[in-house]
Amino acid sequence: MTPSQQTFKHSSKKDEFESPDFYQIDDLFTEEQLMIRSAVRDFVKKEISPIIEDAAQRCEFPEFIVKKMGDMGVFGPTIPLEYGGQSLDYISYGLMMQEIERGDSGMRSTASVQGSLVMFPIYKYGSEEQKMKFLPKLSSGEYLGCFGLTEPDFGSNPSGMTTNFKEDGDHVILNGSKMWISNSPKADVAVVWAKNEQGRIKGIIVERGMEGFSTPEIHGKWSLRASITGELVFDNVRVPKSNILPEADGLKAPMSCLDNARYGIAWGALGAAMDCYESARRYAMERIQFDKPIASFQLVQKKLAEMLTEITKAQLVCWRLGNLKNAGKATTAQISLAKRNNVAMALDIAREARQIHGGMGITGEYSIMRHQMNLESVVTYEGTHDIHLLILGHAITGIAAFK
């Protein structure tokens, strides 16, 4: 145990989670995919589950987990080996996110941001020099990264961003700010989206220590309490032009990153739902009222049956979407459907599971209330529940309800 781990109180409750598989969906996964899932599940049981309740209660980010996640290979697993990735497929990536969010949404946010929102744009839009400089260190967990798109006045409308840069010889001068940025207070690098003097959106890699660059932490959160969230503030920050992503031009570039992140969220929310369901099922079998387990009552069985039904449907959605991603065919609207459906489903299951747990459901003895509070953020970030509905509406009708 590292010194940083010792600062967290370890739970005496053993994590015995096994995922539900009512439709034998495990048969659809390859042996390698199942091995990866098993390895990450064991990692969560060993490294995250014992300390996560204490971390959430204290609203403290378990920083030691970053290097351990890097060692596990959960950062950018689809990135090629030569850049420090694992060259894995998207179903393997999805299963990783499922298992990590089963442990905690904030921990999955750390991994999602690192892989989908920092490593992915550097790999897809960066120069060879940028890839070799940053990707191996991000993959290993030596560096922690963040993604700067959302601003105080521009969330669902990122094209309105005011963060901008102007040329100054071999550098650019960056000004503006970003808000609600996961990982930012501890991040070594930030992939920041800003407008150039012509109004075109570009991606810039900003590094910790650049003068005028600060990352104040956001306090007072009731959600994602074990994750660290902050701002990005740029006050005449001089950034070398060599840190501009050469292949990123326009809003399409950051949106492609969000597609990757939303894909991971669809799997991750499924993991949170599974954890709530499994906890409720076990509790219902053990809790005795009126001389019998509450699992024998019709209304409790109704709740459990409906939970399992929704989880099974979401499992099939994720599996199919993973295959579409592997084939390069997954559309933004298809990813929106999965993110929107699975997060809403997980929230409903968390609420029903809380009722089955009764008063114990609001305590840190069980993961239910923590998942429920976390999912209130997940349903909003990476595209709100309603924005994803309108993305689907656009795909259905061909008419954009927003621009």
Side-chain angles (χ1 to χ4, degrees):
M1 186 185 300
T2 66
S4 56
Q5 280 178 282
Q6 292 175 356
T7 64
F8 293 97
K9 180 182 176 182
H10 280 233
S11 171
S12 60
K13 191 174 181 180
K14 188 177 180 182
D15 183 349
E16 298 179 327
F17 174 80
E18 292 295 332
S19 54
D21 187 20
F22 197 65
Y23 264 32
Q24 299 176 27
I25 294 168
D26 280 4
D27 293 348
L28 302 173
F29 299 133
T30 66
E31 184 176 342
E32 181 185 32
Q33 289 163 351
L34 292 173
M35 287 176 61
I36 289 167
R37 185 186 69 180
S38 179
V40 178
R41 182 171 298 175
D42 289 344
F43 170 80
V44 169
K45 289 182 178 183
K46 179 183 177 184
E47 304 290 350
I48 295 176
S49 296
I51 57 92
I52 195 62
E53 295 299 342
D54 188 47
Q57 289 280 358
R58 290 160 51 176
C59 202
E60 186 173 338
F61 176 56
E63 193 173 353
F64 74 88
I65 208 72
V66 175
K67 188 64 174 69
K68 288 182 176 290
M69 282 184 173
D71 292 341
M72 270 301 300
V74 301
F75 292 147
T78 62
I79 298 291
L81 292 170
E82 59 263 35
Y83 301 120
Q86 307 293 316
S87 293
L88 296 177
D89 70 297
Y90 275 98
I91 289 180
S92 295
Y93 171 68
L95 288 168
M96 287 178 168
M97 297 303 102
Q98 173 187 291
E99 293 302 314
I100 294 173
E101 189 149 1
R102 200 279 302 178
D104 186 75
S105 299
M107 298 297 94
R108 197 268 310 139
S109 292
T110 298
S112 282
V113 168
Q114 187 91 331
S116 293
L117 299 181
V118 181
M119 295 178 68
F120 174 77
I122 293 174
Y123 170 67
K124 185 172 177 64
Y125 301 112
S127 66
E128 189 65 21
E129 180 184 1
Q130 290 167 347
K131 293 175 190 177
M132 295 306 299
K133 179 179 178 181
F134 294 108
L135 291 180
K137 290 183 178 180
L138 288 162
S139 179
S140 70
E142 180 181 346
Y143 279 2
L144 182 65
C146 65
F147 176 86
L149 180 64
T150 298
E151 296 187 358
D153 295 323
F154 295 96
S156 297
N157 177 25
S159 64
M161 70 174 66
T162 59
T163 299
N164 66 90
F165 63 90
K166 296 179 180 179
E167 295 198 20
D168 183 26
D170 292 335
H171 291 73
V172 295
I173 307 299
L174 178 65
N175 281 284
S177 64
K178 302 293 182 176
M179 190 76 170
W180 303 116
I181 309 302
S182 293
N183 299 352
S184 74
K186 299 290 184 180
D188 300 285
V189 296
V191 173
V192 178
W193 302 93
K195 289 180 178 177
N196 65 12
E197 293 174 83
Q198 290 73 46
R200 294 296 295 175
I201 293 173
K202 299 287 185 177
I204 305 177
I205 303 170
V206 183
E207 300 176 63
R208 175 73 66 185
M210 289 181 171
E211 187 175 353
F213 174 42
S214 59
T215 57
E217 184 175 353
I218 294 172
H219 297 283
K221 296 185 300 177
W222 286 105
S223 181
L224 298 178
R225 288 170 61 84
S227 173
I228 193 162
T229 311
E231 303 174 53
L232 299 174
V233 180
F234 315 105
D235 183 9
N236 291 317
V237 181
R238 284 177 58 82
V239 185
K241 284 184 177 178
S242 58
N243 278 30
I244 297 175
L245 299 176
E247 302 302 321
D249 182 50
L251 193 59
K252 187 176 180 180
M255 290 297 103
S256 70
C257 304
L258 291 176
D259 272 354
N260 256 13
R262 292 162 177 173
Y263 168 80
I265 290 170
W267 283 88
L270 175 58
M274 287 176 171
D275 195 58
C276 292
Y277 163 79
E278 183 61 15
S279 182
R281 186 191 66 80
R282 288 174 185 257
Y283 187 85
M285 297 295 289
E286 296 167 358
R287 174 66 170 168
I288 306 298
Q289 290 290 284
F290 305 101
D291 301 320
K292 55 185 177 181
I294 63 172
S296 66
F297 295 108
Q298 289 182 358
L299 290 178
V300 173
Q301 290 190 7
K302 175 181 184 291
K303 285 180 170 62
L304 293 171
E306 289 177 341
M307 289 181 196
L308 181 61
T309 300
E310 294 306 313
I311 285 171
T312 302
K313 287 152 63 175
Q315 286 175 305
L316 290 166
V317 166
C318 281
W319 175 78
R320 177 57 183 157
L321 185 61
N323 279 291
L324 289 170
K325 278 284 284 181
N326 284 338
K329 295 180 179 179
T331 67
T332 294
Q334 288 169 337
I335 293 169
S336 286
L337 184 152
K339 192 270 185 182
R340 183 177 186 275
N341 177 80
N342 290 11
V343 178
M345 172 274 297
L347 260 174
D348 287 343
I349 285 178
R351 290 167 182 151
E352 291 290 272
R354 211 289 304 156
Q355 290 196 56
I356 290 175
H357 284 77
M360 291 302 294
I362 71 166
T363 72
E365 181 74 14
Y366 296 91
S367 60
I368 310 303
M369 204 68 178
R370 176 170 50 81
H371 280 310
Q372 188 170 328
M373 290 191 298
N374 285 342
L375 289 164
E376 288 292 349
S377 288
V378 181
V379 80
T380 294
Y381 71 23
E382 312 287 359
T384 69
H385 191 65
D386 290 344
I387 287 293
H388 285 297
L389 181 147
L390 296 179
I391 291 171
L392 284 170
H394 186 194
I396 293 166
T397 66
I399 302 170
F402 62 91
K403 291 185 180 179

PDB file of all heavy atoms in Angstrom, residues 3-21:
ATOM      1  N   PRO A   3       1.800   5.310   0.500  1.00  0.00           N
ATOM      2  CA  PRO A   3       1.425   6.263   1.537  1.00  0.00           C
ATOM      3  C   PRO A   3       0.130   7.004   1.230  1.00  0.00           C
ATOM      4  O   PRO A   3      -0.656   7.282   2.125  1.00  0.00           O
ATOM      5  CB  PRO A   3       2.629   7.220   1.586  1.00  0.00           C
ATOM      6  CG  PRO A   3       3.773   6.388   1.102  1.00  0.00           C
ATOM      7  CD  PRO A   3       3.191   5.471   0.072  1.00  0.00           C
ATOM      8  N   SER A   4      -0.105   7.320  -0.051  1.00  0.00           N
ATOM      9  CA  SER A   4      -1.318   8.055  -0.399  1.00  0.00           C
ATOM     10  C   SER A   4      -2.571   7.225  -0.169  1.00  0.00           C
ATOM     11  O   SER A   4      -3.632   7.745   0.154  1.00  0.00           O
ATOM     12  CB  SER A   4      -1.253   8.529  -1.857  1.00  0.00           C
ATOM     13  OG  SER A   4      -1.038   7.458  -2.741  1.00  0.00           O
ATOM     14  N   GLN A   5      -2.472   5.907  -0.359  1.00  0.00           N
ATOM     15  CA  GLN A   5      -3.604   5.046  -0.078  1.00  0.00           C
ATOM     16  C   GLN A   5      -3.914   5.001   1.410  1.00  0.00           C
ATOM     17  O   GLN A   5      -5.070   4.885   1.810  1.00  0.00           O
ATOM     18  CB  GLN A   5      -3.325   3.619  -0.568  1.00  0.00           C
ATOM     19  CG  GLN A   5      -3.530   3.414  -2.057  1.00  0.00           C
ATOM     20  CD  GLN A   5      -3.178   2.003  -2.456  1.00  0.00           C
ATOM     21  OE1 GLN A   5      -2.011   1.676  -2.594  1.00  0.00           O
ATOM     22  NE2 GLN A   5      -4.166   1.175  -2.624  1.00  0.00           N
ATOM     23  N   GLN A   6      -2.895   5.088   2.229  1.00  0.00           N
ATOM     24  CA  GLN A   6      -3.085   4.981   3.660  1.00  0.00           C
ATOM     25  C   GLN A   6      -3.889   6.139   4.232  1.00  0.00           C
ATOM     26  O   GLN A   6      -4.408   6.047   5.334  1.00  0.00           O
ATOM     27  CB  GLN A   6      -1.720   4.897   4.352  1.00  0.00           C
ATOM     28  CG  GLN A   6      -0.970   3.590   4.068  1.00  0.00           C
ATOM     29  CD  GLN A   6       0.419   3.603   4.666  1.00  0.00           C
ATOM     30  OE1 GLN A   6       0.852   4.592   5.227  1.00  0.00           O
ATOM     31  NE2 GLN A   6       1.117   2.485   4.542  1.00  0.00           N
ATOM     32  N   THR A   7      -4.009   7.229   3.482  1.00  0.00           N
ATOM     33  CA  THR A   7      -4.760   8.374   3.985  1.00  0.00           C
ATOM     34  C   THR A   7      -6.259   8.133   3.932  1.00  0.00           C
ATOM     35  O   THR A   7      -7.023   8.893   4.524  1.00  0.00           O
ATOM     36  CB  THR A   7      -4.433   9.646   3.179  1.00  0.00           C
ATOM     37  OG1 THR A   7      -4.865   9.467   1.822  1.00  0.00           O
ATOM     38  CG2 THR A   7      -2.943   9.938   3.209  1.00  0.00           C
ATOM     39  N   PHE A   8      -6.698   7.089   3.211  1.00  0.00           N
ATOM     40  CA  PHE A   8      -8.121   6.803   3.104  1.00  0.00           C
ATOM     41  C   PHE A   8      -8.508   5.636   4.014  1.00  0.00           C
ATOM     42  O   PHE A   8      -7.783   4.648   4.119  1.00  0.00           O
ATOM     43  CB  PHE A   8      -8.497   6.457   1.659  1.00  0.00           C
ATOM     44  CG  PHE A   8      -8.356   7.619   0.709  1.00  0.00           C
ATOM     45  CD1 PHE A   8      -7.215   7.778  -0.060  1.00  0.00           C
ATOM     46  CD2 PHE A   8      -9.357   8.561   0.605  1.00  0.00           C
ATOM     47  CE1 PHE A   8      -7.073   8.850  -0.924  1.00  0.00           C
ATOM     48  CE2 PHE A   8      -9.235   9.641  -0.256  1.00  0.00           C
ATOM     49  CZ  PHE A   8      -8.089   9.782  -1.019  1.00  0.00           C
ATOM     50  N   LYS A   9      -9.646   5.784   4.646  1.00  0.00           N
ATOM     51  CA  LYS A   9     -10.179   4.715   5.483  1.00  0.00           C
ATOM     52  C   LYS A   9     -10.683   3.578   4.596  1.00  0.00           C
ATOM     53  O   LYS A   9     -11.452   3.797   3.677  1.00  0.00           O
ATOM     54  CB  LYS A   9     -11.319   5.253   6.347  1.00  0.00           C
ATOM     55  CG  LYS A   9     -11.943   4.217   7.263  1.00  0.00           C
ATOM     56  CD  LYS A   9     -13.095   4.832   8.059  1.00  0.00           C
ATOM     57  CE  LYS A   9     -13.784   3.767   8.920  1.00  0.00           C
ATOM     58  NZ  LYS A   9     -14.927   4.362   9.657  1.00  0.00           N
ATOM     59  N   HIS A  10     -10.236   2.368   4.888  1.00  0.00           N
ATOM     60  CA  HIS A  10     -10.636   1.218   4.076  1.00  0.00           C
ATOM     61  C   HIS A  10     -11.913   0.597   4.625  1.00  0.00           C
ATOM     62  O   HIS A  10     -12.060   0.379   5.826  1.00  0.00           O
ATOM     63  CB  HIS A  10      -9.512   0.171   4.052  1.00  0.00           C
ATOM     64  CG  HIS A  10      -8.425   0.500   3.083  1.00  0.00           C
ATOM     65  ND1 HIS A  10      -7.992  -0.369   2.114  1.00  0.00           N
ATOM     66  CD2 HIS A  10      -7.696   1.631   2.913  1.00  0.00           C
ATOM     67  CE1 HIS A  10      -7.049   0.198   1.404  1.00  0.00           C
ATOM     68  NE2 HIS A  10      -6.849   1.408   1.870  1.00  0.00           N
ATOM     69  N   SER A  11     -12.833   0.291   3.715  1.00  0.00           N
ATOM     70  CA  SER A  11     -14.092  -0.342   4.103  1.00  0.00           C
ATOM     71  C   SER A  11     -13.846  -1.785   4.526  1.00  0.00           C
ATOM     72  O   SER A  11     -13.026  -2.495   3.932  1.00  0.00           O
ATOM     73  CB  SER A  11     -15.069  -0.319   2.931  1.00  0.00           C
ATOM     74  OG  SER A  11     -16.212  -1.095   3.193  1.00  0.00           O
ATOM     75  N   SER A  12     -14.572  -2.212   5.537  1.00  0.00           N
ATOM     76  CA  SER A  12     -14.483  -3.612   5.970  1.00  0.00           C
ATOM     77  C   SER A  12     -15.385  -4.516   5.152  1.00  0.00           C
ATOM     78  O   SER A  12     -15.319  -5.742   5.254  1.00  0.00           O
ATOM     79  CB  SER A  12     -14.856  -3.720   7.460  1.00  0.00           C
ATOM     80  OG  SER A  12     -16.184  -3.253   7.660  1.00  0.00           O
ATOM     81  N   LYS A  13     -16.212  -3.906   4.323  1.00  0.00           N
ATOM     82  CA  LYS A  13     -17.164  -4.669   3.519  1.00  0.00           C
ATOM     83  C   LYS A  13     -16.488  -5.204   2.261  1.00  0.00           C
ATOM     84  O   LYS A  13     -15.871  -4.450   1.501  1.00  0.00           O
ATOM     85  CB  LYS A  13     -18.352  -3.775   3.132  1.00  0.00           C
ATOM     86  CG  LYS A  13     -19.521  -4.527   2.525  1.00  0.00           C
ATOM     87  CD  LYS A  13     -20.698  -3.581   2.320  1.00  0.00           C
ATOM     88  CE  LYS A  13     -21.895  -4.314   1.744  1.00  0.00           C
ATOM     89  NZ  LYS A  13     -23.038  -3.406   1.532  1.00  0.00           N
ATOM     90  N   LYS A  14     -16.590  -6.496   2.040  1.00  0.00           N
ATOM     91  CA  LYS A  14     -15.948  -7.123   0.892  1.00  0.00           C
ATOM     92  C   LYS A  14     -16.764  -6.905  -0.380  1.00  0.00           C
ATOM     93  O   LYS A  14     -17.979  -7.030  -0.385  1.00  0.00           O
ATOM     94  CB  LYS A  14     -15.766  -8.628   1.143  1.00  0.00           C
ATOM     95  CG  LYS A  14     -14.941  -9.329   0.073  1.00  0.00           C
ATOM     96  CD  LYS A  14     -14.725 -10.792   0.403  1.00  0.00           C
ATOM     97  CE  LYS A  14     -13.892 -11.489  -0.673  1.00  0.00           C
ATOM     98  NZ  LYS A  14     -13.707 -12.921  -0.404  1.00  0.00           N
ATOM     99  N   ASP A  15     -16.079  -6.568  -1.450  1.00  0.00           N
ATOM    100  CA  ASP A  15     -16.717  -6.369  -2.752  1.00  0.00           C
ATOM    101  C   ASP A  15     -16.808  -7.718  -3.455  1.00  0.00           C
ATOM    102  O   ASP A  15     -15.804  -8.270  -3.907  1.00  0.00           O
ATOM    103  CB  ASP A  15     -15.892  -5.381  -3.582  1.00  0.00           C
ATOM    104  CG  ASP A  15     -16.519  -5.058  -4.931  1.00  0.00           C
ATOM    105  OD1 ASP A  15     -17.479  -5.734  -5.325  1.00  0.00           O
ATOM    106  OD2 ASP A  15     -16.039  -4.116  -5.585  1.00  0.00           O
ATOM    107  N   GLU A  16     -18.011  -8.246  -3.556  1.00  0.00           N
ATOM    108  CA  GLU A  16     -18.222  -9.568  -4.163  1.00  0.00           C
ATOM    109  C   GLU A  16     -19.017  -9.477  -5.462  1.00  0.00           C
ATOM    110  O   GLU A  16     -19.659 -10.440  -5.884  1.00  0.00           O
ATOM    111  CB  GLU A  16     -18.951 -10.481  -3.177  1.00  0.00           C
ATOM    112  CG  GLU A  16     -18.155 -10.738  -1.906  1.00  0.00           C
ATOM    113  CD  GLU A  16     -18.889 -11.622  -0.907  1.00  0.00           C
ATOM    114  OE1 GLU A  16     -20.144 -11.529  -0.841  1.00  0.00           O
ATOM    115  OE2 GLU A  16     -18.221 -12.401  -0.213  1.00  0.00           O
ATOM    116  N   PHE A  17     -18.943  -8.344  -6.131  1.00  0.00           N
ATOM    117  CA  PHE A  17     -19.762  -8.100  -7.318  1.00  0.00           C
ATOM    118  C   PHE A  17     -19.523  -9.116  -8.434  1.00  0.00           C
ATOM    119  O   PHE A  17     -18.392  -9.465  -8.753  1.00  0.00           O
ATOM    120  CB  PHE A  17     -19.473  -6.699  -7.862  1.00  0.00           C
ATOM    121  CG  PHE A  17     -20.158  -6.401  -9.170  1.00  0.00           C
ATOM    122  CD1 PHE A  17     -21.482  -6.036  -9.204  1.00  0.00           C
ATOM    123  CD2 PHE A  17     -19.471  -6.499 -10.372  1.00  0.00           C
ATOM    124  CE1 PHE A  17     -22.120  -5.763 -10.408  1.00  0.00           C
ATOM    125  CE2 PHE A  17     -20.084  -6.224 -11.582  1.00  0.00           C
ATOM    126  CZ  PHE A  17     -21.417  -5.860 -11.593  1.00  0.00           C
ATOM    127  N   GLU A  18     -20.605  -9.579  -9.006  1.00  0.00           N
ATOM    128  CA  GLU A  18     -20.603 -10.328 -10.271  1.00  0.00           C
ATOM    129  C   GLU A  18     -21.718  -9.746 -11.130  1.00  0.00           C
ATOM    130  O   GLU A  18     -22.833  -9.527 -10.654  1.00  0.00           O
ATOM    131  CB  GLU A  18     -20.837 -11.823 -10.035  1.00  0.00           C
ATOM    132  CG  GLU A  18     -19.691 -12.534  -9.327  1.00  0.00           C
ATOM    133  CD  GLU A  18     -18.407 -12.557 -10.137  1.00  0.00           C
ATOM    134  OE1 GLU A  18     -18.499 -12.519 -11.381  1.00  0.00           O
ATOM    135  OE2 GLU A  18     -17.329 -12.592  -9.523  1.00  0.00           O
ATOM    136  N   SER A  19     -21.430  -9.482 -12.397  1.00  0.00           N
ATOM    137  CA  SER A  19     -22.418  -8.798 -13.231  1.00  0.00           C
ATOM    138  C   SER A  19     -23.543  -9.729 -13.655  1.00  0.00           C
ATOM    139  O   SER A  19     -23.328 -10.917 -13.933  1.00  0.00           O
ATOM    140  CB  SER A  19     -21.746  -8.219 -14.480  1.00  0.00           C
ATOM    141  OG  SER A  19     -21.042  -9.219 -15.179  1.00  0.00           O
ATOM    142  N   PRO A  20     -24.769  -9.199 -13.723  1.00  0.00           N
ATOM    143  CA  PRO A  20     -25.894  -9.994 -14.230  1.00  0.00           C
ATOM    144  C   PRO A  20     -25.720 -10.290 -15.720  1.00  0.00           C
ATOM    145  O   PRO A  20     -25.173  -9.468 -16.462  1.00  0.00           O
ATOM    146  CB  PRO A  20     -27.103  -9.089 -13.979  1.00  0.00           C
ATOM    147  CG  PRO A  20     -26.549  -7.705 -13.929  1.00  0.00           C
ATOM    148  CD  PRO A  20     -25.170  -7.838 -13.350  1.00  0.00           C
ATOM    149  N   ASP A  21     -26.158 -11.459 -16.142  1.00  0.00           N
ATOM    150  CA  ASP A  21     -26.023 -11.848 -17.552  1.00  0.00           C
ATOM    151  C   ASP A  21     -27.207 -12.723 -17.940  1.00  0.00           C
ATOM    152  O   ASP A  21     -27.057 -13.897 -18.274  1.00  0.00           O
ATOM    153  CB  ASP A  21     -24.694 -12.579 -17.779  1.00  0.00           C
ATOM    154  CG  ASP A  21     -24.425 -12.843 -19.255  1.00  0.00           C
ATOM    155  OD1 ASP A  21     -25.039 -12.160 -20.097  1.00  0.00           O
ATOM    156  OD2 ASP A  21     -23.618 -13.727 -19.561  1.00  0.00           O
TER     157      ASP A  21
END
